[in-house]
Amino acid sequence: MASFKFAAAALLSLGASSYGWQTSTPFIPRVIQQSAVQTNALYAAQRNVARRTSSLNMVVSDPTEVKTGGGMFTASNAENRRVLPEDVRGRPTMKIVYVVLESQYQSSMTAAAKRINAGSENMAVECVGYLLEELRNDDAYEQFKKDMETADVFVGSLIFVQELAEKVTEVVAPLREKLDAVLVFPSMPEVMRLNKVGSFTMKNLGQSKSVVADFMKKKKQEDGSSFEEGMLKLLRTLPKVLKFLPSDKAADARTFMMSFQYWLGGSPENLESLLLMVGQDYVGPIKESMQGKDKVIMEEPVLLPDKAIWHPVAPDIVFESNQKYFEWYNKEHCPDAGIDPATAPTIGIILQKSHINTKDDTHYVSLISELESRGARVVPIYSGGLDFSGPVEDFMYDTSGKTIVDTVINLTGFALVGGPASQDHKKAAQVLKKLNVPYMCAVPLVFQSFEEWQASELGLHPIQVALQVSLPEIDGAIEPIIYAGREGATGRSVPLADRVNLLADRAMKWSNLRIKKNEEKKIAITIFSFPPDKGNVGTAAYLDVFDSIKAVLAQLKTEGYDIGDAPDSKEAIMESVLNDPEARINSPELNVAYRMNTDEYYELTPYAKDLEENWGPAPGNLNSDGQNLVVYGKQFGNVFIGVQPSFGYEGDPMRLLFAKSASPHHGFAAYYTYLEKVFGADAVLHFGTHGSLEFMPGKQVGMSGTCYPDRLINSLPSAYLYAANNPSEATIAKRRSYSATVSYLTPPAENAGLYKGLKELKELISSYQGLRENEARGPAIINSIVSTAWTCNLDKDIEDLPNLEGYDAKNDTIDRRDDIAGKVYSQIMQIESRLLPCGLHTVGVPPTAEEAIATLVNIAQLDRPEDGIEGIPRIIASSVGREINEIYRGNNAGILEDVELNEKITQASRAAVRALVEQSTDSNGRVKDVKNFFDEAGGIFGGFMGMKKPWTQSVIDAGFPNVTDERFTPVFEYLEFCLKQVVANNELPGIMELLNGQFLMPAPGGDPIRNPDVLPTGRNMHALDPSAIPTQAAVEVSEDVVRKLLEKLKDENDGMYPESIAFTLWGTDNIKTYGESLAQVLALAGVRPVSDSLGRVNKVELIPLEELGRPRIDVVVSCSGVFRDLFINQMNLMDRGIKMAAEADEPLEMNFVRKHAIEQAKELQISVREAACRVFSNSAGSYSANVGLAIENGGWEDESQLQEQFLTRKGFAFNADKPGMMEQQADLFKSALKTVDVTFQNLDSSEISITDVSHYYDSDPTKVVAGLRDDKKKPVSLMADTTTANAQVRTLSETVRLDARTKLLNPKFYEGMLSTGYEGVREIQKRLRNTMGWSATAGEVDNFVFEDANSVFIDDAEMQQRLLDTNPNAFRDMVTTFLEANGRGYWETSEENIERLQELYAEVEDRIEGV
């Protein structure tokens, strides 16, 4: 009794909290003309024809292809949803206007209105509906306003997009009092507050304590119910609840709750009852006309059980236990369908209940039909709420608790637990891991018709990507394949045949991995070669590829796979694949596994003809011997190790200039055709970061049958080994090539250390510290410091370093001598403490204790205020009465005392971490079992003995006697947890879980230093919820960086602010920092991101100039192709914010965005709003400026070609006013860039710096801007370095020097690389080539960098021989790079050096050719 009273009170004050309603989000029902039972005949006919069309016979042209432009979301029309009574017959008319997320209510509402108009004697209905997304269209929005002015009733549901929720509220709120009723079902709180049914309202929703929320929390505590389930239980007990409410309140509350039930039911009959009930009870004219008449008594809502198993041809509509279902299915249905229940794979399918309620099930029937026609059993389940974990637990196990499914496909497109507003990813992952089968989440189109989706280059609607791709990935879902959508005119759900075929094929292949014996499975390991034609076979970021393949082969053998006579050494595996470690792809020495003649190729590759537009007829000249297409690799038993071909256009200057990327060449297509149809792989393992498959042309997300990643991978299950620090590109691989990723660790970052003159400088400064007041020795040491600093080229980093000629320190004051020593010390400590990954990682080999210490030291330096953790440096600094940031500032300014203290704190921190790790280190220098210092026993023992913890004692011994155990406890508890994560070894098990058809647990990708949750590796990596960035913390950090940046620029420019800054945005950077650089862009323009009531960032506002206190800085944003794919909603935010700034009526001297937009509008004859487009990227499906490709392959004539490539390929504008396309706007891009004063990029990770990869210079516009500016002046180039707690902004040239000194020229780095052999030489050469890239794009590389590199690698005869013997091709490329740097004017050196290099090139060439 008491609980019903409590529920009644909850209902009466419904929704004082946003918590309750934000999670109460049932699906929108959909209606179609054909019922589940009526499909029986159709379904049987389908089976009789046994249409076994497989995606193996892929479509060559997509059946939905249309030739319209790239618009995306506005082709549907509300007029299709308008119903007018044909004959009013004197009846009062109720006008109802509805706004819904999806279109499927259209059929039900239309049918309900027509039934009333035909059959009711009491009322007629005028009805019109709007899809939420249509309200972005100005014309549709104006029509919505007009309709609402004459409306009697408003209905809304699932209005969860902030800016559109505001539009709805803006229109409905002023009309609320005159409307007879407002019914809003689960939506944003501000829309829910519009509800009005008589005396029942929700106007306090989200503003005070909620009884409903308390009720639901109580339910959750009692039985783990989600809010939706609690709400459904409340509905079921409605009669008992209502008797505890006052009668008038009870009637109105009952009407609302009954309306909700009818809405959930979704059928025309249910909605007819809803309209009749609301009309006769609340609409004035109808109430008046019915005085004295009997009211219509409504039918009770017709609802199915909350969860059950459904099958389209079952005699019973649903089954509430799997025993009853299988009794029918195995004994009656399977024999009729030709399925053997004993051997058939079983596919679990998760459905939306609303589709079953409304008989809108054709897309479900289609997939079930395709799976059964392939011999599979199906278990289709649904849930009444949005928590599908209950039905999974109830129906996907047998009575003994054994899993009965081999793969699960979620057809709802939503996260397993939750909906558009709230998810429980942890619970979802636990449920799925217990089930332990592959989990695919396919996507029905919601906001687009098939035609709109097909015409869009972007593919899936950005809001749907956020809700139905990003969120399921966090659960561990794979393969976001579009399988169904709505028919434009009627809103009905329809399947897309070729996508359904593909989904069925891929589900069968994943199930096969679970069922097939390991010794019978065929596995294709795919390795990469980039750049091609050199000693680069087995390229992968920071991965020792062949050593890792050796580990994988050993594991495969252990688990019963047939690996034939595969060698057990890295060198022998490499030799067998390359057949010559010199790896010349264009020569026969690379092992040929298969020659595919052109007849076979065209027969097996249905899209081959489409490639001829770019490459001519097969075989072509890539991966070809002139007559056949050639597949490179080596087979061992049932394992094939193959070399993925390259893009093919790397060395072709004309193709590099194309604005859009070319299709794959015939050799590339033949490789994947071979894997699937000749070798017959059961799965492919893509080995390392990264190949080319996922970057082939096609839609960004939501591939069609004409997108090349989809065509190439086709039905092959793909596991992809990806570096844990690169979640952005890993996400592209997940979405575009349907790959399940397995993260691998990058080598632990260590301090770079010092060498040669730099080491000598540190020793001199140490001597000076002891003798600084000695008037004889002190000045002499300073003279040596100055001389050595000049020798080490530090004069370029220390502005006021005394000139060598004529300087004598004895003529200087002691303060000036301290100043010189402090500034030199600061520079060399920057170099020494710079973090660099040493060596390469081998899969399955956890770090040594020393490597673990290096990682933990970096983790320990960061404060984590959200977890109540202070970093070790802050605690130590506090113990001597100093603030750590103050010490950092003094250190950066070269104040000798602070540089010394900073170094002392750094060493003490390292000693403390070492003390922790040593407690768990074994005799082999590795950590296997981490001792727990914070359990009860450890604490009691230490306290009893009166001992300090070992880390505290080590800091005391380092000279900081005031530190305490208590202050250190939080950070060391955290470090102990991190140590367990660092040394956990899940990479080989993770690979095997996928190959064995099991569920691989999800994990975030990113920087393990910033986010140790990235560890342990060996899990299915995902990015983050894109609507969550930028976070408030990221906004605060970015505002600080922008303030420092503008202060620096203002100080260096006579107090003048820069007017325009060119900004580069990266996907991984924004994942790792939760949107810091994105927030920097907004902050520069004086724009503030605003979170909605659900914590999602989808709105911006201008910061008033009075608050900003400076001018708005114009920004020209170049987004990487990966950022565009992952964060298109954030591009929308930036575009809207910048346009708000451009349209603000402010003085031009205080608003440079507006100033430039007005100038450009006049120049280009366009509107100011159009001229304010500032967010640019590649065209959809294309990536990079190809500048890196040109430089890496030498395929460029001069710098003007590189600049033209940048402008052509990166000049596609994102426009929030036309969100369905990336529009080529080269003239606007150039016009915006010509105003740029500063170019700016962020460095966010120690693992990937500016010479490690080509991406940074590929997107650098420094020389592009100089060429476009009227004065031809080169802009200032800056880099923000947030890789440590001591964040700094440096010039680009400073950053290049720092990178060269810590990597390319540093023995610790190059010896570490050389210790790995073949791959190591390639890594060294890559950094030399990337250094030259900065010369080409920015002109910011000092001559000494090339000169010193020549001394290290060429002048030293012993080093020269090591490089030549280890990887002659990579060494040849190194020699070529030196010659090219000289030939292009980037390096001035002696004639003797050039002659030596030319002779050396000839020698290496002869060696390679075997002369």
Side-chain angles (χ1 to χ4, degrees):
M1 181 69 77
S3 64
F4 290 134
K5 285 181 178 174
F6 187 63
L11 191 58
L12 185 60
S13 61
L14 186 59
S17 143
S18 62
Y19 164 82
W21 278 99
Q22 77 187 38
T23 56
S24 176
T25 42
F27 292 111
I28 293 171
R30 304 176 179 187
V31 177
I32 202 161
Q33 76 279 13
Q34 201 165 30
S35 76
V37 178
Q38 285 170 327
T39 57
N40 199 342
L42 164 71
Y43 191 28
Q46 282 181 330
R47 245 194 333 272
N48 290 338
V49 204
R51 191 170 58 83
R52 293 177 179 271
T53 310
S54 161
S55 66
L56 295 172
N57 309 311
M58 295 165 292
V59 290
V60 176
S61 60
D62 196 297
T64 63
E65 188 167 2
V66 290
K67 302 298 181 190
T68 56
M72 199 169 183
F73 323 122
T74 55
S76 54
N77 187 339
E79 292 307 309
N80 292 333
R81 288 172 229 109
R82 190 178 297 278
V83 177
L84 296 169
E86 291 178 12
D87 184 358
V88 175
R89 302 197 305 273
R91 297 170 295 174
T93 300
M94 169 177 72
K95 181 173 180 180
I96 182 161
V97 179
Y98 63 93
V99 175
V100 291
L101 183 74
E102 297 184 275
S103 65
Q104 289 75 8
Y105 268 107
Q106 177 177 344
S107 296
S108 286
M109 288 294 272
T110 300
K114 286 182 176 178
R115 287 165 68 129
I116 292 171
N117 288 338
S120 172
E121 295 177 4
N122 301 322
M123 70 175 82
V125 174
E126 179 187 343
C127 176
V128 62
Y130 291 85
L131 299 186
L132 188 59
E133 277 295 315
E134 286 172 352
L135 300 184
R136 293 186 192 277
N137 180 294
D138 291 340
D139 293 339
Y141 188 52
E142 288 305 314
Q143 185 59 49
F144 171 58
K145 286 181 182 175
K146 284 180 188 170
D147 277 321
M148 282 304 304
E149 284 166 8
T150 56
D152 299 301
V153 177
F154 173 74
V155 177
S157 179
L158 292 191
I159 298 172
F160 277 112
V161 181
Q162 178 70 39
E163 65 266 35
L164 299 178
E166 288 168 6
K167 283 191 161 193
V168 171
T169 308
E170 186 182 298
V171 174
V172 179
L175 302 171
R176 182 174 178 274
E177 289 311 310
K178 90 175 186 69
L179 286 164
D180 293 308
V182 178
L183 293 166
V184 181
F185 305 116
S187 294
M188 301 291 289
E190 58 265 43
V191 191
M192 295 293 296
R193 284 195 285 270
L194 297 171
N195 263 304
K196 183 184 86 165
V197 184
S199 60
F200 176 85
T201 74
M202 294 188 186
K203 58 188 177 187
N204 296 322
L205 183 68
Q207 296 177 344
S208 63
K209 194 173 183 322
S210 167
V211 186
V212 164
D214 289 344
F215 175 76
M216 295 308 166
K217 284 175 185 169
K218 185 165 179 273
K219 288 303 303 170
K220 188 161 188 173
Q221 287 164 2
E222 285 172 6
D223 58 11
S225 301
S226 68
F227 185 88
E228 297 80 20
E229 289 166 330
M231 199 71 198
L232 290 166
K233 285 169 185 166
L234 188 61
L235 285 171
R236 282 198 296 274
T237 58
L238 195 62
K240 296 174 184 174
V241 170
L242 290 173
K243 67 183 181 186
F244 295 103
L245 292 175
S247 58
D248 60 330
K249 301 275 188 188
D252 295 332
R254 183 182 189 282
T255 299
F256 177 79
M257 294 306 278
M258 289 298 290
S259 300
F260 187 29
Q261 280 195 301
Y262 286 128
W263 190 258
L264 283 173
S267 65
E269 297 83 359
N270 279 318
L271 295 190
E272 181 185 4
S273 296
L274 187 158
L275 298 183
L276 288 170
M277 177 178 70
V278 172
Q280 68 183 13
D281 288 343
Y282 297 97
V283 176
I286 299 172
K287 283 172 69 178
E288 287 171 21
S289 73
M290 290 188 67
Q291 283 180 2
K293 294 183 186 177
D294 290 336
K295 286 187 177 182
V296 177
I297 298 171
M298 302 305 147
E299 296 286 337
E300 285 295 310
V302 180
L303 297 174
L304 292 172
D306 286 342
K307 52 186 176 181
I309 304 175
W310 169 86
H311 193 284
V313 299
D316 298 320
I317 293 179
V318 297
F319 299 87
E320 294 192 70
S321 76
N322 57 14
Q323 292 97 323
K324 288 180 182 174
Y325 173 69
F326 282 117
E327 180 73 20
W328 164 77
Y329 190 74
N330 289 344
K331 293 182 179 176
E332 296 182 37
H333 182 70
C334 285
D336 290 346
I339 298 168
D340 180 358
T343 60
T346 303
I347 313 291
I349 306 175
I350 298 172
L351 313 174
Q352 283 185 216
K353 183 187 176 198
S354 56
H355 283 276
I356 297 158
N357 279 339
T358 58
K359 322 296 189 291
D360 178 18
D361 54 22
T362 307
H363 51 325
Y364 294 166
V365 172
S366 178
L367 180 65
I368 290 169
S369 169
E370 288 300 331
L371 288 167
E372 292 186 339
S373 74
R374 288 161 173 75
R377 299 193 308 166
V378 294
V379 185
I381 65 170
Y382 70 77
S383 170
L386 287 174
D387 183 348
F388 296 96
S389 62
V392 166
E393 300 263 61
D394 290 348
F395 303 130
M396 292 193 179
Y397 295 91
D398 64 18
T399 50
S400 67
K402 185 181 173 187
T403 304
I404 57 175
V405 293
D406 299 301
T407 294
V408 172
I409 309 173
N410 183 343
L411 293 184
T412 71
F414 283 116
L416 189 74
V417 182
S422 177
Q423 302 78 37
D424 187 341
H425 298 297
K426 189 174 180 183
K427 177 181 177 183
Q430 288 168 346
V431 167
L432 291 167
K433 187 59 195 170
K434 179 183 167 191
L435 196 65
N436 205 22
V437 301
Y439 174 60
M440 305 165 73
C441 194
V443 184
L445 295 172
V446 173
F447 302 131
Q448 303 144 279
S449 68
F450 280 135
E451 290 78 15
E452 291 167 309
W453 162 69
Q454 181 60 33
S456 168
E457 291 184 339
L458 297 178
L460 191 61
H461 188 297
I463 289 174
Q464 225 182 324
V465 173
L467 292 178
Q468 295 189 292
V469 178
S470 298
L471 297 178
E473 283 173 349
I474 302 173
D475 289 347
I478 56 176
E479 309 206 4
I481 295 171
I482 307 292
Y483 76 99
R486 63 179 176 83
E487 194 276 312
T490 66
R492 291 169 178 151
S493 298
V494 283
L496 181 57
D498 87 301
R499 305 288 80 205
V500 170
N501 271 320
L502 179 72
L503 184 57
D505 282 344
R506 295 191 64 80
M508 293 295 286
K509 288 280 187 83
W510 278 110
S511 299
N512 183 55
L513 287 174
R514 184 172 171 79
I515 295 167
K516 199 170 187 177
K517 292 177 181 174
N518 284 353
E519 63 263 29
E520 295 172 4
K521 288 183 202 168
K522 289 189 169 185
I523 306 298
I525 295 174
T526 293
I527 59 177
F528 313 120
S529 173
F530 193 84
D533 305 335
K534 308 219 171 82
N536 291 321
V537 173
T539 316
Y542 287 120
L543 185 66
D544 190 329
V545 169
F546 287 105
D547 214 24
S548 297
I549 289 175
K550 172 187 146 187
V552 170
L553 287 172
Q555 188 66 34
L556 286 168
K557 186 175 182 180
T558 300
E559 298 201 18
Y561 286 75
D562 176 6
I563 66 165
D565 58 352
D568 58 3
S569 79
K570 165 186 169 177
E571 292 73 21
I573 295 167
M574 188 167 73
E575 170 70 21
S576 65
V577 175
L578 307 181
N579 208 17
D580 180 341
E582 295 165 19
R584 287 178 306 154
I585 284 191
N586 277 348
S587 65
E589 279 83 1
L590 198 67
N591 195 65
V592 175
Y594 189 74
R595 296 182 194 275
M596 184 180 292
N597 66 49
T598 52
D599 289 344
E600 183 183 21
Y601 168 67
Y602 279 108
E603 181 187 343
L604 296 179
T605 314
Y607 55 90
K609 284 282 181 188
D610 292 1
L611 310 186
E612 293 182 3
E613 180 184 355
N614 286 125
W615 302 99
N621 57 8
L622 295 165
N623 286 72
S624 160
D625 61 10
Q627 269 128 17
N628 305 289
L629 288 151
V630 176
V631 176
Y632 294 115
K634 180 74 174 176
Q635 185 170 341
F636 301 105
N638 283 337
V639 178
F640 172 67
I641 303 172
V643 183
Q644 185 192 74
S646 66
F647 282 110
Y649 50 75
E650 295 86 353
D652 184 337
M654 286 307 297
R655 289 185 193 275
L656 290 171
L657 270 169
F658 291 165
K660 297 184 179 183
S661 299
S663 66
H665 58 80
H666 293 295
F668 202 102
Y671 178 79
Y672 281 94
T673 295
Y674 168 78
L675 294 188
E676 184 178 21
K677 299 175 185 176
V678 179
F679 173 64
D682 292 295
V684 58
L685 172 59
H686 289 98
F687 216 89
T689 307
H690 58 72
S692 308
L693 170 68
E694 61 269 37
F695 297 103
M696 286 296 174
K699 298 183 188 302
Q700 283 182 201
V701 186
M703 303 287 104
S704 75
T706 54
C707 295
Y708 284 107
D710 180 286
R711 287 173 150 185
L712 289 158
I713 197 66
N714 197 32
S715 70
L716 267 179
S718 170
Y720 210 136
L721 202 54
Y722 235 92
N725 66 353
N726 193 347
S728 59
E729 289 179 317
T731 302
I732 303 300
K734 288 167 82 85
R735 295 176 185 177
R736 301 188 86 242
S737 64
Y738 309 140
S739 296
T741 55
V742 186
S743 61
Y744 66 83
L745 202 60
T746 48
E750 298 179 26
N751 289 108
L754 298 172
Y755 52 92
K756 298 181 182 173
L758 297 171
K759 191 173 182 181
E760 185 184 333
L761 270 174
K762 186 176 182 185
E763 290 164 358
L764 285 167
I765 290 167
S766 179
S767 301
Y768 174 72
Q769 286 165 320
L771 297 166
R772 57 190 287 275
E773 294 180 4
N774 183 316
E775 281 302 318
R777 298 289 303 283
I781 295 171
I782 290 293
N783 285 339
S784 296
I785 287 171
V786 170
S787 172
T788 309
W790 275 91
T791 304
C792 293
N793 297 289
L794 291 180
D795 55 297
K796 296 176 174 60
D797 302 281
I798 303 168
E799 285 182 14
D800 53 354
L801 186 70
N803 202 309
L804 273 176
E805 291 182 22
Y807 175 75
D808 191 337
K810 71 182 178 188
N811 300 325
D812 255 340
T813 64
I814 190 167
D815 286 346
R816 171 62 180 145
R817 294 198 292 261
D818 282 357
D819 181 56
I820 293 167
K823 284 179 175 168
V824 173
Y825 197 8
S826 174
Q827 278 299 318
I828 61 173
M829 291 318 298
Q830 273 192 61
I831 296 165
E832 182 178 48
S833 62
R834 182 83 165 170
L835 300 172
L836 70 154
C838 284
L840 299 170
H841 176 66
T842 297
V843 167
V845 178
T848 63
E850 284 301 315
E851 291 167 338
I853 290 167
T855 299
L856 291 182
V857 165
N858 301 326
I859 291 172
Q861 71 172 331
L862 298 179
D863 297 320
R864 300 175 199 272
E866 66 279 8
D867 298 316
I869 294 170
E870 295 178 290
I872 295 177
R874 180 173 299 281
I875 295 170
I876 297 174
S878 177
S879 76
V880 292
R882 294 290 302 276
E883 204 278 324
I884 190 65
N885 289 326
E886 181 190 302
I887 297 170
Y888 289 151
R889 281 192 291 275
N891 174 84
N892 298 345
I895 297 168
L896 185 59
E897 180 189 348
D898 284 342
V899 180
E900 290 172 344
L901 180 56
N902 188 40
E903 167 67 357
K904 191 176 172 187
I905 289 171
T906 301
Q907 294 304 326
S909 300
R910 181 168 283 273
V913 171
R914 179 177 295 281
L916 169 72
V917 175
E918 281 180 346
Q919 307 303 312
S920 304
T921 304
D922 65 18
S923 57
N924 297 318
R926 293 196 176 271
V927 178
K928 289 196 178 149
D929 298 309
V930 177
K931 287 188 184 172
N932 190 345
F933 263 81
F934 295 95
D935 62 11
E936 201 173 334
I940 290 171
F941 179 75
F944 178 73
M945 299 298 291
M947 300 186 315
K948 295 276 186 193
K949 298 284 191 206
W951 44 86
T952 309
Q953 189 60 53
S954 68
V955 175
I956 292 169
D957 294 345
F960 298 96
N962 297 327
V963 293
T964 64
D965 281 345
E966 292 71 28
R967 187 97 180 252
F968 272 139
T969 294
V971 69
F972 276 92
E973 280 184 335
Y974 185 64
L975 290 175
E976 187 173 274
F977 161 76
C978 291
L979 179 60
K980 292 174 184 173
Q981 305 299 92
V982 168
V983 301
N985 180 11
N986 196 53
E987 290 171 359
L988 285 172
I991 292 169
M992 297 313 301
E993 281 179 37
L994 290 179
L995 297 184
N996 294 334
Q998 296 171 337
F999 178 78
L1000 184 59
M1001 282 293 279
D1007 182 359
I1009 308 300
R1010 290 176 188 261
N1011 181 14
D1013 287 344
V1014 169
L1015 304 169
T1017 49
R1019 294 181 291 170
N1020 189 2
M1021 184 168 35
H1022 59 75
L1024 42 69
D1025 175 0
S1027 65
I1029 70 166
T1031 60
Q1032 188 53 42
V1035 169
E1036 290 168 10
V1037 170
S1038 69
E1039 286 172 349
D1040 190 47
V1041 169
V1042 164
R1043 182 180 49 75
K1044 286 179 183 172
L1045 170 67
L1046 293 179
E1047 283 174 3
K1048 177 182 173 74
L1049 291 167
K1050 190 179 171 190
D1051 290 346
E1052 293 171 359
N1053 193 34
D1054 301 324
M1056 303 283 286
Y1057 283 103
E1059 291 197 5
S1060 182
I1061 296 180
F1063 221 97
T1064 305
L1065 287 184
W1066 301 101
T1068 291
D1069 162 14
N1070 278 281
I1071 292 171
K1072 289 177 181 175
T1073 65
Y1074 296 93
E1076 280 179 18
S1077 54
L1078 162 67
Q1080 289 165 8
V1081 170
L1082 296 172
L1084 284 164
V1087 174
R1088 180 185 290 126
V1090 180
S1091 298
D1092 65 22
S1093 49
L1094 304 180
R1096 301 172 312 188
V1097 184
N1098 50 28
K1099 185 181 173 186
V1100 285
E1101 63 185 20
L1102 281 182
I1103 301 170
L1105 284 175
E1106 309 80 67
E1107 183 185 336
L1108 192 62
R1110 60 164 173 82
R1112 300 189 194 282
I1113 310 299
D1114 199 2
V1115 283
V1116 185
V1117 187
S1118 179
C1119 301
S1120 72
V1122 173
F1123 183 94
R1124 174 207 62 212
D1125 285 4
L1126 299 187
F1127 297 116
I1128 198 140
N1129 289 314
Q1130 279 62 31
M1131 291 170 75
N1132 189 310
L1133 275 185
M1134 287 188 288
D1135 185 66
R1136 280 161 44 207
I1138 292 165
K1139 283 174 175 163
M1140 286 169 71
E1143 292 177 328
D1145 186 10
E1146 294 171 344
L1148 298 186
E1149 69 274 10
M1150 292 299 290
N1151 187 336
F1152 299 136
V1153 183
R1154 182 166 176 76
K1155 176 185 173 184
H1156 296 152
I1158 289 172
E1159 291 168 359
Q1160 285 150 13
K1162 188 176 176 183
E1163 174 195 342
L1164 299 172
Q1165 298 293 296
I1166 54 178
S1167 70
V1168 170
R1169 186 170 179 83
E1170 288 172 311
C1173 281
R1174 291 289 185 272
V1175 183
F1176 296 88
S1177 186
N1178 297 84
S1179 70
S1182 294
Y1183 301 83
S1184 91
N1186 281 352
V1187 170
L1189 285 176
I1191 288 172
E1192 285 165 337
N1193 292 278
W1196 57 295
E1197 298 296 324
D1198 54 29
E1199 289 177 4
S1200 65
Q1201 180 199 319
L1202 302 180
Q1203 291 160 29
E1204 189 60 32
Q1205 281 178 212
F1206 179 87
L1207 291 167
T1208 304
R1209 288 184 59 83
K1210 302 299 285 189
F1212 287 77
F1214 178 86
N1215 186 345
D1217 302 329
K1218 301 177 189 173
M1221 56 200 291
M1222 298 293 298
E1223 195 171 25
Q1224 187 150 31
Q1225 292 276 15
D1227 290 342
L1228 182 57
F1229 191 35
K1230 290 175 186 175
S1231 182
L1233 284 170
K1234 34 189 307 188
T1235 66
V1236 164
D1237 305 305
V1238 179
T1239 64
F1240 186 83
Q1241 293 199 52
N1242 281 283
L1243 273 181
D1244 64 281
S1245 167
S1246 58
E1247 298 161 310
I1248 303 175
S1249 192
I1250 63 170
T1251 61
D1252 293 327
V1253 291
S1254 61
H1255 303 51
Y1256 287 112
Y1257 72 76
D1258 181 273
S1259 289
D1260 177 69
T1262 302
K1263 284 188 176 177
V1264 174
V1265 170
L1268 292 171
R1269 282 178 63 105
D1270 293 334
D1271 59 8
K1272 302 303 177 191
K1273 180 183 170 189
K1274 197 162 80 168
V1276 176
S1277 294
L1278 297 176
M1279 304 284 293
D1281 183 345
T1282 58
T1283 57
T1284 66
N1286 182 15
Q1288 297 188 53
V1289 176
R1290 300 187 181 93
T1291 66
L1292 176 56
S1293 57
E1294 284 177 310
T1295 310
V1296 172
R1297 287 193 292 273
L1298 183 59
D1299 223 46
R1301 286 169 175 145
T1302 53
K1303 288 186 176 167
L1304 183 64
L1305 305 177
N1306 184 356
K1308 185 172 184 178
F1309 175 79
Y1310 60 71
E1311 289 295 347
M1313 284 300 172
L1314 284 173
S1315 69
T1316 67
Y1318 165 87
E1319 288 98 337
V1321 183
R1322 179 178 65 226
E1323 292 292 324
I1324 296 166
Q1325 153 54 17
K1326 182 167 80 174
R1327 283 159 183 80
L1328 179 65
R1329 177 66 67 167
N1330 288 341
T1331 302
M1332 189 184 75
W1334 284 109
S1335 295
T1337 62
E1340 296 287 349
V1341 183
D1342 293 288
N1343 202 68
F1344 84 83
V1345 173
F1346 291 112
E1347 196 69 23
D1348 287 4
N1350 184 71
S1351 298
V1352 171
F1353 302 113
I1354 305 299
D1355 284 359
D1356 183 332
E1358 186 183 338
M1359 172 63 76
Q1360 191 189 107
Q1361 195 61 44
R1362 284 173 70 193
L1363 297 170
L1364 180 60
D1365 291 343
T1366 310
N1367 189 332
N1369 284 73
F1371 182 59
R1372 176 179 60 182
D1373 197 18
M1374 181 182 285
V1375 173
T1376 305
T1377 304
F1378 279 119
L1379 289 169
E1380 190 177 347
N1382 174 256
R1384 294 188 186 274
Y1386 304 143
W1387 174 37
E1388 290 181 19
T1389 192
S1390 65
E1391 282 298 318
E1392 181 188 352
N1393 276 343
I1394 298 304
E1395 286 170 12
R1396 183 193 298 114
L1397 285 163
Q1398 288 168 339
E1399 289 166 7
L1400 196 53
Y1401 182 86
E1403 286 174 28
V1404 180
E1405 192 76 5
D1406 287 348
R1407 162 82 175 266
I1408 289 171
E1409 296 296 333
V1411 176

